[in-house]
Amino acid sequence: MIILITGASHTGKTLLAQKLLEKYMYPYLSIDHLKMGLIRSGNTKLTPEDDDALTDYLWPIVREIIKTAVENRQNLIVEGCYIPFDWRQDFDERYLPFIRFICLAMTETYIENYFEEITGYESEIENRLIVSDCTIAGLKADNERYINGFRDAGERVVLIDSDYERSIMKLMEQGING
């Protein structure tokens, strides 16, 4: 089983991946780690701020890792924001039954009410080396882009609206078969 986790910045993708790893003992691939390895090694001139270009650059690699894991009947959690809205078009019926897709996004109300808590947890699992330039307006725009983009592509988006812990626990309870 492949668990593919994406979503807007600060939604807890890495936290969810870590919790799923602990529960199911599935290894996970952080697309951010792959990104930084390619950037730091000089294999790309892209920078961490080149989001759209990074999606175009990283997705073909991630897509083929997913296919290889499915073909070898291996479990894997893949998390990161560099997943295109139309990701399903890259997989046929041999692969799709083995991929569970999760997109996390926060509502505007949640962002307004919990902004300090959201930014307070930004290094909960991984330390961010750069002080975040996260703003309420930026978070709202990022979340709206993910909500609209994935919904327009026919995907379900898990909306975090009031109780973050309950939202994550519900995903955990649904397990790998969601």
Side-chain angles (χ1 to χ4, degrees):
M1 174 63 63
I2 307 301
I3 303 173
L4 186 57
I5 304 169
T6 194
S9 178
H10 290 76
T11 54
K13 299 177 293 294
T14 306
L15 176 64
L16 178 59
Q18 181 68 36
K19 287 183 179 290
L20 289 168
L21 173 147
E22 291 168 3
K23 182 173 182 176
Y24 295 105
M25 305 305 279
Y26 288 9
Y28 85 81
L29 169 68
S30 165
I31 302 174
D32 279 341
H33 290 176
L34 178 61
K35 167 189 76 177
M36 292 310 299
L38 291 164
I39 290 171
R40 287 179 171 177
S41 66
N43 281 290
T44 181
K45 299 295 182 204
L46 296 171
T47 71
E49 289 77 35
D50 296 325
D51 285 340
D52 291 337
L54 281 164
T55 298
D56 294 341
Y57 182 70
L58 294 168
W59 178 245
I61 299 165
V62 172
R63 175 190 70 216
E64 298 308 315
I65 290 170
I66 292 169
K67 286 180 180 178
T68 301
V70 170
E71 291 162 357
N72 287 290
R73 297 186 182 105
Q74 295 169 319
N75 299 315
L76 182 64
I77 301 163
V78 178
E79 67 87 13
C81 60
Y82 304 105
I83 298 169
F85 299 132
D86 62 351
W87 68 272
R88 283 185 192 271
Q89 77 177 7
D90 293 330
F91 299 97
D92 61 30
E93 67 278 350
R94 291 176 293 169
Y95 300 100
L96 287 171
F98 301 99
I99 302 171
R100 176 168 182 227
F101 176 77
I102 301 170
C103 177
L104 300 175
M106 298 177 284
T107 65
E108 286 191 4
T109 302
Y110 184 83
I111 294 166
E112 289 168 1
N113 291 336
Y114 297 99
F115 180 72
E116 288 187 27
E117 287 89 342
I118 293 166
T119 56
Y121 285 103
E122 67 185 7
S123 291
E124 185 71 12
I125 300 296
E126 296 177 339
N127 291 322
R128 295 179 188 236
L129 298 178
I130 300 170
V131 176
S132 177
D133 58 355
C134 184
T135 64
I136 290 176
L139 272 183
K140 284 181 179 181
D142 194 33
N143 279 271
E144 182 178 0
R145 187 172 75 82
Y146 274 84
I147 292 166
N148 293 336
F150 280 110
R151 281 190 174 164
D152 288 350
E155 299 292 347
R156 179 177 158 258
V157 177
V158 176
L159 285 179
I160 301 163
D161 189 34
S162 59
D163 187 336
Y164 181 85
E165 285 296 323
R166 190 167 45 130
S167 297
I168 297 301
M169 290 310 297
K170 187 175 179 181
L171 286 170
M172 295 297 295
E173 289 167 7
Q174 290 172 352
I176 58 175
N177 299 317

